């Protein structure tokens, strides 16, 4: 039986996104995050239990504890 090089190649599993999904309440104060897993989205820095600072517009925004956020790993 002959070897078929096209079938012998190693095909590793796909790597997921470089962003990890978390809840707002689970990230630490001072940590940077986005609302969507995309590099083009605005970045925020958590400043308190329910507040984060919008880095681009320089305003503080209120979040709920169960809001989903994405942290770049």
């Amino acid at each position: 039986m002959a070897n078929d090089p096209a079938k012998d190649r190693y095909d590793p599993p796909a790597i997921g996104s470089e962003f990890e999904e978390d809840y707002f309440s689970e990230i630490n104060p001072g940590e940077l995050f986005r609302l969507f897993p995309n590099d083009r989205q605005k970045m925020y820095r958590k400043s308190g239990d329910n507040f984060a600072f919008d880095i681009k517009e320089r305003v503080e925004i209120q979040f709920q504890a169960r809001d989903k956020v994405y942290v770049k790993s």
Side-chain angles (χ1 to χ4, degrees), residues 10-58:
Y10 175 68
D11 188 19
I15 297 175
S17 172
E18 61 186 324
F19 292 94
E20 295 179 14
E21 184 179 299
D22 276 322
Y23 290 112
F24 185 77
S25 63
E26 294 177 355
I27 62 174
N28 295 324
E31 194 162 356
L32 295 173
F33 66 92
R34 292 177 169 91
L35 298 179
F36 301 99
N38 185 337
D39 281 329
R40 297 183 192 157
Q41 296 295 318
K42 287 197 274 185
M43 289 178 42
Y44 301 88
R45 181 182 306 274
K46 185 172 181 179
S47 58
D49 289 337
N50 293 327
F51 292 96
F53 188 72
D54 181 340
I55 294 175
K56 186 175 182 178
E57 295 181 14
R58 303 171 89 37

